[in-house]
Amino acid sequence: MKAVIAAAAVAFLISLFGTPVAIRVFTALKAGQPIRSIGLASNQGKKGTPTMGGVAFIIATVFAYVAGHLALTTLPERQIAQRGPTMTALVLLGLFVFCGVVGFFDDFLKVRRRNSDGLSARGKLLGQALVAGGFGVAALYVASSNGQTVASEHISLFRDISWLDVGKVGSVLVFVFVITAMSNGVNLTDGLDGLATGASTLVLGAYAIIGYWQYRHWCADDTYARANEYCYQVRDPLEIAMIAAAGSAACLGFLWWNTSPARIFMGDVGALGLGGLIGGLAVATRTTLLAIIIGGLFVLITTTWVIQIVSFRTTGRRVFRMVPLHHHFELGGWSEINIVIRFWIVAGVCVAIGLGLFYSDFLAANG
């Protein structure tokens, strides 16, 4: 617990006090957010607000991970496998950083061209797929000394589903789908001040709880094997808990400056990075299908976006006034702050349901 708390505290402080530095730097570089001319009139006043703020909480999370490992030096000898950087950390932080890099190129092109046209949709998806594919191979093919890998060859809900074995190649493809879907889901949600940041704080916090719970009931700890209690077959759960807690706290520090009226936007560098990290956490904790519930707000916004596109292209009619979904409510007369708070509530309810189901499964397994 000491390492998790240390990582979260360091991430929060670096993000809280580092974001104003990012605001000054990106303002000086004239890295202002372009706003689409066909967008909502209420958003035109945000034009020029510095973007790429996701760099701040990504850096904060990486430094916090190092700080968490400094706290691990006091752990008992039986936990020494957790002390050095692991493949789990390399995969999760790698997804966070390199999905962020794809978003950075998108943001850079928008700023340079002074319009909202960054990377093409195909180019963005290709970049995400390459990043996810590379780390997916590492997650499936690089095993620890006891044969454990970061990802599994099975589809998972609360743990691996034994009869849903898709093999290593199939698992890499699932990995790529989860990462690209979640990163685009967070990106679509990032449309109002603080909306994606607050929702990501909640989701990452949920994965910090799941990771730490799995660490306390870890099959590598023979205490549970001797007691014949249910344990979790995951790799490096303490690493998972530290990174998720650090990411959540870093988002919270960033949220101080990102709430309405936002002083800085996370940009695609932040949105794609967060989505990559959340997707990686879902795979690493063996809760891939449960992520649909925990990240329910992102899934809802993505689903309604797909419905709108399909409906318009097939029938010429719109189901919603405008997508992503938060803009539908803006056009319905809701204020930005009301939408953000109510969507945070939806995200919180989804997280609570997801954690409740996760814990209920544990109780049933030990019943």
Side-chain angles (χ1 to χ4, degrees):
M1 178 61 79
K2 181 190 295 185
V4 176
I5 293 174
V10 170
F12 175 75
L13 292 173
I14 292 177
S15 184
L16 180 65
F17 294 106
T19 301
V21 177
I23 293 172
R24 289 194 292 271
V25 169
F26 290 124
T27 300
L29 293 174
K30 298 182 179 180
Q33 175 68 46
I35 304 294
R36 290 184 301 170
S37 59
I38 62 172
L40 292 168
S42 60
N43 288 339
Q44 296 304 313
K46 300 179 181 182
K47 187 175 182 179
T49 302
T51 187
M52 303 191 211
V55 171
F57 56 70
I58 291 176
I59 291 174
T61 303
V62 173
F63 275 94
Y65 171 75
V66 176
H69 268 276
L70 293 178
L72 286 179
T73 57
T74 60
L75 282 178
E77 186 65 24
R78 68 180 176 85
Q79 297 166 342
I80 194 170
Q82 292 278 296
R83 291 185 184 173
T86 63
M87 180 54 63
T88 302
L90 292 176
V91 169
L92 293 178
L93 292 176
L95 287 169
F96 200 14
V97 171
F98 285 97
C99 283
V101 168
V102 175
F104 180 85
F105 280 116
D106 189 45
D107 289 332
F108 176 78
L109 290 175
K110 290 176 183 177
V111 170
R112 184 176 181 181
R113 296 169 179 171
R114 300 299 177 188
N115 60 45
S116 59
D117 297 326
L119 287 173
S120 66
R122 182 177 298 177
K124 193 182 296 186
L125 282 173
L126 177 62
Q128 292 169 307
L130 288 174
V131 171
F135 285 105
V137 169
L140 266 297
Y141 287 87
V142 181
S144 61
S145 57
N146 64 358
Q148 189 78 51
T149 54
V150 177
S152 168
E153 295 181 33
H154 297 80
I155 303 297
S156 58
L157 179 57
F158 308 111
R159 54 188 179 274
D160 285 344
I161 302 172
S162 58
W163 53 272
L164 278 180
D165 186 340
V166 295
K168 285 192 174 181
V169 174
S171 236
V172 171
L173 294 177
V174 170
F175 190 94
V176 171
F177 174 78
V178 171
I179 300 305
T180 54
M182 192 61 74
S183 60
N184 283 302
V186 177
N187 196 26
L188 287 172
T189 306
D190 182 33
L192 299 180
D193 294 352
L195 177 55
T197 309
S200 297
T201 300
L202 294 169
V203 172
L204 289 170
Y207 277 111
I209 293 171
I210 289 173
Y212 190 73
W213 185 262
Q214 291 178 332
Y215 170 66
R216 297 294 296 172
H217 302 84
W218 189 23
C219 292
D221 186 344
D222 58 8
T223 301
Y224 299 101
R226 289 196 302 269
N228 293 319
E229 292 185 12
Y230 177 76
C231 60
Y232 292 95
Q233 289 281 3
V234 296
R235 181 171 176 176
D236 312 314
L238 187 57
E239 298 276 88
I240 293 170
M242 276 199 302
I243 292 170
S248 179
C251 284
L252 191 61
F254 181 77
L255 186 60
W256 183 275
W257 307 100
N258 186 232
T259 49
S260 183
R263 296 275 306 279
I264 189 170
F265 300 137
M266 69 167 68
D268 280 14
V269 60
L272 298 188
L274 284 171
L277 174 60
I278 292 170
L281 288 166
V283 173
T285 56
R286 308 293 198 268
T287 57
T288 304
L289 295 178
L290 187 62
I292 297 172
I293 297 175
I294 293 176
L297 178 65
F298 304 138
V299 174
L300 173 64
I301 288 176
T302 303
T303 302
T304 53
W305 181 83
V306 171
I307 290 172
Q308 181 87 325
I309 297 300
V310 171
S311 175
F312 187 75
R313 289 184 177 178
T314 56
T315 68
R317 296 181 179 180
R318 292 180 172 88
V319 178
F320 305 97
R321 299 182 186 96
M322 187 176 181
V323 289
L325 186 60
H326 35 273
H327 295 319
H328 167 81
F329 291 104
E330 273 194 291
L331 289 174
W334 291 22
S335 70
E336 179 174 6
I337 293 177
N338 278 340
I339 296 170
V340 170
I341 292 175
R342 288 167 181 171
F343 275 40
W344 282 352
I345 292 172
V346 172
V349 169
C350 291
V351 163
I353 293 172
L355 289 176
L357 291 172
F358 179 82
Y359 184 61
S360 295
D361 173 75
F362 176 81
L363 293 179
N366 282 291

